[in-house]
Amino acid sequence: MLPLTDRPGWRAAGEISLLTRPAWEQTLDHLARSDEETCHLELSAVTFVDVAGVSALAMTAQGLSQGRRIVLEEPPATLRRVLDMFWPDLLSVEVMGR
């Protein structure tokens, strides 16, 4: 995970799974503790996200204060499908691209 240089947020690459989940959850924790209204997760280089990784994202989004949101930029299609299936009313997550 690398911080974005042109907007608040992080860039991820590769897989988000059992082996990488600690880094993913640490990044989500940083995102949740920031005071930015909108945080970006640039995910165009992510090839796979397991259900636990999507769940961690959803739990982080649910814990954001009102008015804050997470913008997912070009996430894998499976991430969007899992969000739509299990968290269809999660208004604090916006998906852009793919």
Side-chain angles (χ1 to χ4, degrees), residues 15-55:
E15 292 189 356
I16 298 170
S17 61
L18 181 62
L19 294 175
T20 60
R21 192 164 315 116
W24 175 246
E25 290 176 353
Q26 183 178 20
T27 298
L28 293 173
D29 183 57
H30 286 296
L31 184 150
R33 289 187 289 118
S34 83
D35 57 359
E36 298 290 341
E37 184 176 311
T38 301
C39 288
H40 299 260
L41 287 174
E42 205 287 314
L43 304 173
S44 63
V46 172
T47 57
F48 173 78
V49 181
D50 67 10
V51 174
V54 180
S55 179

Side-chain angles (χ1 to χ4, degrees), residues 2 6 11 17 25 29 31-32 34 45 54 73 82 85 95:
L2 297 171
D6 60 341
R11 173 174 288 116
S17 61
E25 290 176 353
D29 183 57
L31 184 150
S34 83
V54 180
E73 299 176 9
V82 172
M85 184 181 300
V95 180

